[in-house]
Amino acid sequence: MTASTTPSVVLVHGAFADAASWIGVIAELQDHGIPVIAPPNPLRGLAADAAYVASVTAQIDGPVILVGHSYGGALITVAGTAENVVGLVYVTAYVLEEGESLGELQGRFPASPLVSNLKQWTYPAEGGDPATEVAITADAFPSVFAADVGADVTQVLAVSQRPLAAAAFEEKATAAAWKTKPSWALVAGADQAINPDVERFGAERAGATVVEIEGASHAVAVSRPKDVAGLIRDAVRATS
């Protein structure tokens, strides 16, 4: 693979995390000479966030692999229709159908423990009107989000998490890039934030190449960066 044919990897974090959650994955990809960027995800709504990801992608020369964790999976599903996107990698993620919302996809399956452990906050939206955002309660964060990550790390992650606008759960995807782009998916077998069956269903519907890690939590990019990077490298090799 040469620099001109190796796709750049764009890592899109999900809710209740930030771009630093990719630190181990970034190190692994850089060690293999793969260009990578992990932009901030605004977490303000499906359409707006997907447009932001698409704008980042459009400014990268050459082919791009989009990688989405959790809610980030919904974003790459929409943003992945960009012409230079050559593959999609879903990491414990939502894989939406066109016209489907996060709430609709989740509603097909029993709720995860995440649902009963969310705290609501408000923030000023356009025009100054208050809008609602949600975050995981600090005491539930370790078991719900990162059960296989050390306590010293989860304590930091719990208080530095970034909330998601509640409206994002009801917005419908305007596109499903997996219909025209190859996809890969990692399912975390012990995920307590997204029901693993939601991940399996979406990945199967998309015809993705699936890897499942038994015992892995939702924070698999933190706890198993080599495994996550390995799947991304598979996608890079397949599209180079």
Side-chain angles (χ1 to χ4, degrees):
M1 293 185 294
T2 65
S4 60
T5 60
T6 301
S8 296
V9 172
V10 175
L11 302 170
V12 182
H13 69 81
F16 323 126
D18 62 20
S21 60
W22 294 111
I23 187 168
V25 175
I26 292 170
E28 287 290 324
L29 295 176
Q30 290 179 334
D31 282 349
H32 286 85
I34 296 171
V36 57
I37 181 174
N41 180 350
L43 300 177
R44 297 295 79 170
L46 180 54
D49 296 341
Y52 180 80
V53 172
S55 74
V56 172
T57 303
Q59 296 174 71
I60 296 174
D61 291 331
V64 169
I65 297 282
L66 286 180
V67 182
H69 174 247
S70 190
Y71 166 67
L75 304 187
I76 70 170
T77 295
V78 176
T81 57
E83 190 173 334
N84 63 330
V85 173
V86 294
L88 309 166
V89 181
Y90 294 95
V91 180
T92 63
Y94 293 107
V95 187
L96 296 180
E97 170 63 280
E98 184 175 353
E100 183 178 54
S101 69
L102 297 175
E104 288 169 341
L105 176 55
Q106 286 191 139
R108 296 169 178 257
F109 302 91
S112 72
L114 171 75
V115 177
S116 58
N117 287 287
L118 291 176
K119 180 178 179 179
Q120 291 191 352
W121 302 76
T122 59
Y123 67 96
E126 285 187 33
D129 294 328
T132 302
E133 61 185 9
V134 293
I136 305 172
T137 58
D139 59 340
F141 187 93
S143 62
V144 168
F145 197 90
D148 58 350
V149 177
D152 55 338
V153 175
T154 58
Q155 288 171 0
V156 174
L157 295 178
V159 299
S160 62
Q161 60 177 301
R162 294 184 52 210
L164 173 66
F169 290 100
E170 304 307 321
E171 284 190 61
K172 298 180 184 294
T174 56
W178 48 261
K179 292 184 175 181
T180 57
K181 311 288 174 79
S183 59
W184 290 257
L186 188 151
V187 175
D191 199 332
Q192 298 294 299
I194 299 177
N195 185 331
D197 285 337
V198 173
E199 300 167 19
R200 296 183 188 109
F201 172 82
E204 182 177 352
R205 181 171 62 180
T209 299
V210 181
V211 170
E212 181 158 345
I213 303 180
E214 186 176 351
S217 77
H218 193 62
V220 66
V222 178
S223 62
R224 313 280 187 97
K226 288 183 182 294
D227 292 323
V228 175
L231 184 62
I232 296 169
R233 286 166 52 208
D234 288 347
V236 169
R237 280 192 293 266
T239 55
S240 293

